[in-house]
Amino acid sequence: MDRRTLLRGMLAGAGAAGLAGCSSPVVAGLANTPLDQGTVEYWDLFGGGDGVRMQQMVANYRAANPGTPVQAVTLAWGNPYYTKLSLATVGAKPPNVAVSHLTRMLTLQRGNLLQELRPEDLARHGMAPEMFNKRAWEAGLVDGRAYAIPLDTHPIVLFYNTDICGEAGLLDAGGALKPIEGPDALADAFAKAQQVTGQFGATHGIDADPATCWRLFHTLYGQLGGEVIADDGTRVVLDDAKALQVLEYLRSLTVERRLMPGSIDYQGAIALFAAGASGFHINGEWEISTFQTAKMPFGMTLVPNVFGGTYVVHADSHTLVLPRRDDQTPGQLDLSLGFVKALLDQSMNWAEGGHVPTWLPVADSEAYRKLTPQSNYAAAADAAVYDPPAWYTGSGSNFENVMGSAVGAVEGGQLTPQAAIEQLRSRLSALAALPSPV
Amino acid sequence: MTVTTAPDRPVTGETPLPPDTAESPGHTRPALLMMAPFLVLYLLFVIGPTLYMFLMSLFDTSLVRPGLGSFAGLRNYTEALGDAAFWASMWHTLWFTILTTPPLVILAFLLALMADRVRRGRWFFRLAFFLPYILPSAVVALIWMWMYTPELGLLSRMVTALGFAEPSWLGDPDLAMWSLALTTVWWTLGFNFVLYLAGLQDIPRELYEAASMDGAGPVQQVRRITVPMLSRTTSLVVVLQVIASLKVFDQMYIMTSGGPNFSTRPALEYIYDVSFTDFRVGYASAVSTLFFLLILAVSTVWVVLTRRQEERL
Amino acid sequence: MTTITAPTVTRESVDRRIKLFNATCAGVLIAFAVIWLVPIAWAVDTSIKPNSETTNPTWAIQDPTLESYRTLLSQGSIWNWYASSFITSTLTAAATVLTGSMAAFALSRMRFRFRWLIFWFVLIGIMIPQQALIVAQFREFAALQLLNTYWAVVLPQVPAAIAVFIFKQFFDGVPRDLDEAARVDGAGFFRTYWRVVMPLSRPVVAAVAIFTFVWSWNNLLWPLLVMTNPKLMTIPVGLATVQGTYGIRYADTMASAILGALPLVLLFLFFQRRIVEGIAGTGLKG
């Protein structure tokens, strides 16, 4: 084979690719025609246990709908995912169905990147507002219109090691954690667990983990009735007294009483709990599969009501959205909504991964109620507080980074609560002053 | 993309073209026609976007809204210059340039010097060093992410086999940039190697012969003949290398996403993030303009260098 | 190899030292070359292991298998990526050579008003970093509704000022009497360009074509922005974006890397001399 042959081969290859491309992608690439009518293209951001479970659910859909091809693509979690989704929608070739966090949906909607889900279209596929958890459904409305179908609510929860808590006398006769209420009760429980483990009472990710720090802070601050920003993020309404109370409490747990390690990253916090070096662990419920795999004795429950106000807990929801596209046909819309409904119908499977189902036919079912420890914290769905609405908030956003890193610095002892509040105020003001791009 | 003139370019024996103002009858129209395809594309996709970038940098333009948005004046620039994240990304770009340029120049020089002395199997060295350069960045990143994989990666295992604690190559904020630099040296060394090898072959052998007769040893020969004779190539290699390093994006984007905790996010990825994640195209244009001016400044140094060298030829 | 001179003591000792020095050079060089080949060899080695065996820390393989390649090639997305890369790179290379050489011909051979002005105007383009223009170009292609088409990848890459510059330098060195003769015979400018100058410029045409093809194939940032549909992605974008799909199946990941590199490696093996000479002659760099 000489160069000429190779050149010819390559040209032939390109030509053959061109001919084979009488099927869609090549023609679409050259002539900008619609791509893949009749298939469902679906994007998600699930890794780990969630990813495996979602693949199963998609496979079940495929098996039940052999006539409808599904192309499922998994992209990296967080900002990269939303970047890709936005670019694809601006680029007029978005997926038919995509996963979005509820807190990210608002920015997408304001950027005119989502299709409205009209009640009559939803009804045709057996979906109606009253069939979803009220809080999650309403959080997905913009000006009364629906843009997102909530698949779950995923709150942060309190994991506890049943052996350690049993030894510390924290369990009731049935083997479940006795109710904990108030700041002293929680610190007490941590202290008792610490006496058993000899190391720590509880852990949560702090280093390089602003998300978890923010989630915990938001829960406690929310229980005091505090708010951070208002008017779509244009005004900072941080309540110094309430924030100080929360930060001082968190600091007392780490720096002063050493009930929790003040310098530990996400994986390290999990590892300590899994190894029995701490009795409690605060994290998203999705880590259930990690501890199940570790075959350790554990239970899960609501994060306690520490500050005694109306009970709230930080959460977000995975939702299914339909990115805007100009080439949407009624047939394609029905395929997409049918796919959405098929995923909702598998909410039980999804719930096994820890998430609280929002689809009431499953959430209210006997089968889900019997699913433990998952159903222990189902009430979180009704007490969920989401990130405040603004173009710069939402899971994995700049806002969470700003909030969480200040909280983490207090827990790690690098900042005093007072200094942290000053830092928060100045950084939040800078964000609030930016003109909204959507 | 950059270029320099060939050292061995055939010198034309033609009489020089008439002065700039000279114009032959009947040339203008066909000339414009022949240049048209290039010039139209050039205006549309290079000059146009450049002006558009300057313009947008003065507005609060959004990715997802039509039009320029409200006028911002120089606020985007003052915001960038006062933003720690902007300076951090500039510093990461510079730090990467500092980490990669010396090894890429010195190692390439030394290897080329040695290859120049070995008469047989030169194709093999060219293959070994140049092959990585031809690979797409995504392929290089995948291979090296596998090399760096904790516990299983080849490098991790080599280090632990030597009795050291396993470093977290890409996970440790202090080490990640070094790992990226190592990958980059492996990837792009071949290009400089080939440039140096070509430069070495242009040095007349007689110079070495003469030096040998004077009793100069190999090290002296290198110092007194090779290094000075290669100064042109070296200045070229250095400037090209600096420009290429300043434009770094691919390795970080794929291997670390700019992390951990933004410790490796370069300038281009910062632009990518603010424009396509935050939709703040106006602000991103201001940052792009600053980046543009930086590259332009370095490129000007290079143009001046090559122009001067051409005059000397 | 040496000229014959009267042997002196110093001369002999220098010769001996040089021989020793050269042998050392060869040794060090071979060591480095082997080190340089290790990552590629390791990738190939991993790719022909069964996925389950990739956690095994040895080079030796119990059951070498092409299973990973078979999986990837049967999945189809890699074929779409190949098609995108082949089509966009070929179009880019062809259009760059054509538009660049025509413009260069005019600048080199024709005398028209503002010739130097236009030349400098084009020369400025060499210094403009395309990477800084991504934001503006993206908005432009969104407005043209050309995102997620091959044209979005091709068009901004075609007007490469550098190609004009290289062509012009080469044309300036092509003896003028040949095309003067053609002109006397009544050939127009375009005919002279196409029939006389271009055939004499094969080496530079090949160099520019090969380099443009390789750059275009390897380009990541721009196609990453404009090709967001997984079926339209080029090879690097696909590999960088959809890698998560393979999870921790290292053999599959390495096989995908090798498949992505294969066309270029073949190109390199066949055109090695041209590529290397092209770099040495012009100092081209992406």
Side-chain angles (χ1 to χ4, degrees), chain A residues 100-285:
Chain A
S100 165
H101 284 96
L102 193 76
T103 51
R104 283 301 193 103
M105 183 276 297
L106 184 70
T107 305
L108 295 175
Q109 192 279 330
R110 294 254 168 87
N112 189 25
L113 301 177
L114 298 182
Q115 290 177 44
E116 187 198 340
L117 306 168
R118 288 174 306 183
E120 62 269 27
D121 293 332
L122 295 179
R124 208 164 51 245
H125 292 274
M127 292 179 276
E130 60 275 10
M131 302 169 87
F132 293 89
N133 175 282
K134 194 161 176 274
R135 199 141 185 148
W137 177 263
E138 282 175 357
L141 298 181
V142 184
D143 304 328
R145 296 161 198 264
Y147 289 90
I149 305 283
L151 179 63
D152 63 40
T153 308
H154 52 87
I156 58 163
V157 297
L158 186 64
F159 290 88
Y160 57 97
N161 183 315
T162 43
D163 285 358
I164 294 169
C165 290
E167 209 174 312
L170 296 168
L171 301 186
D172 62 20
L177 193 68
K178 284 188 221 163
I180 299 173
E181 242 179 78
D184 300 332
L186 184 64
D188 249 25
F190 286 178
K192 282 182 182 149
Q194 186 178 36
Q195 277 167 5
V196 177
T197 64
Q199 294 197 50
F200 296 107
T203 62
H204 77 87
I206 293 177
D207 294 349
D209 185 16
T212 308
C213 294
W214 156 245
R215 289 170 187 144
L216 180 57
F217 174 84
H218 191 205
T219 300
L220 304 184
Y221 184 67
Q223 291 174 358
L224 287 170
E227 286 185 33
V228 181
I229 49 175
D231 298 341
D232 278 341
T234 54
R235 213 153 53 82
V236 180
V237 293
L238 192 70
D239 184 321
D240 286 14
K242 287 172 179 164
L244 199 63
Q245 191 180 347
V246 174
L247 290 174
E248 274 175 349
Y249 178 65
L250 288 175
R251 187 183 142 88
S252 75
L253 294 181
T254 54
V255 179
E256 280 144 32
R257 302 185 59 183
R258 306 211 166 276
L259 299 172
M260 298 202 293
S263 172
I264 186 105
D265 64 7
Y266 188 96
Q267 289 304 333
I270 288 176
L272 282 181
F273 179 67
S278 87
F280 293 92
H281 178 67
I282 299 165
N283 206 334
E285 33 71 3

Side-chain angles (χ1 to χ4, degrees), chain B residues 1 3-4 6 17 20 44 191, chain C residues 111 116 140 162 281-282 284:
Chain B
M1 213 194 299
V3 73
T4 178
L17 288 173
D20 307 352
L44 270 179
F191 180 83
Chain C
R111 286 161 192 70
W116 278 104
E140 189 181 12
I162 187 97
T282 53
L284 293 154

Side-chain angles (χ1 to χ4, degrees), chain B residues 47-271:
Chain B
I47 301 299
T50 307
L51 300 176
Y52 191 34
M53 169 183 75
F54 293 145
L55 185 68
M56 280 195 297
S57 71
L58 304 175
F59 288 83
D60 288 324
T61 312
S62 157
L63 183 73
V64 290
R65 288 198 178 289
L68 286 171
S70 54
F71 185 69
L74 292 176
R75 201 185 56 227
N76 286 326
Y77 289 94
T78 50
E79 185 193 335
L81 296 174
D83 186 351
F86 166 77
W87 288 110
S89 72
M90 283 298 200
W91 164 244
H92 297 146
T93 296
L94 190 65
W95 178 226
F96 176 80
T97 307
I98 295 170
L99 282 182
T100 48
T101 306
L104 276 171
V105 174
I106 296 168
L107 195 59
F109 170 73
L110 291 177
L111 291 174
L113 192 72
M114 291 191 270
D116 190 48
R117 292 185 162 263
V118 179
R119 263 160 301 154
R120 268 176 305 168
R122 203 175 285 164
W123 66 269
F124 170 71
F125 302 122
R126 216 159 51 183
L127 179 80
F129 296 128
F130 196 75
L131 190 62
Y133 180 72
I134 212 90
L135 302 179
S137 55
V139 169
V140 172
L142 288 185
I143 292 177
W144 280 81
M145 280 161 81
W146 171 222
M147 300 270 295
Y148 288 140
T149 302
E151 288 177 48
L152 302 174
L154 192 63
L155 271 174
S156 297
R157 281 217 299 269
M158 274 159 53
V159 170
T160 42
L162 292 173
F164 295 101
E166 188 195 317
S168 174
W169 299 99
L170 296 171
D172 178 346
D174 296 327
L175 188 65
M177 193 63 97
W178 291 84
S179 306
L180 291 167
L182 178 65
T183 300
T184 308
V185 169
W186 177 81
W187 180 27
T188 58
L189 180 100
F191 180 83
N192 295 350
F193 174 78
V194 167
L195 272 185
Y196 267 124
L197 208 53
L200 283 166
Q201 279 159 2
D202 285 342
I203 300 178
R205 303 281 130 169
E206 297 79 33
L207 287 177
Y208 293 113
E209 292 298 325
S212 289
M213 291 218 282
D214 292 346
V219 176
Q220 281 163 305
Q221 288 184 13
V222 166
R223 218 172 37 206
R224 293 217 307 253
I225 302 171
T226 320
V227 172
M229 290 292 284
L230 280 180
S231 64
R232 262 202 62 189
T233 313
T234 301
S235 64
L236 171 70
V237 166
V238 169
V239 180
L240 286 184
Q241 189 55 56
V242 168
I243 293 175
S245 292
L246 289 176
K247 291 179 183 172
V248 68
F249 170 82
D250 299 10
Q251 298 94 304
M252 281 78 168
Y253 177 79
I254 305 175
M255 294 174 74
T256 63
S257 311
N261 200 17
F262 300 110
S263 62
T264 60
R265 179 166 71 170
L268 269 178
E269 200 178 340
Y270 180 67
I271 292 171

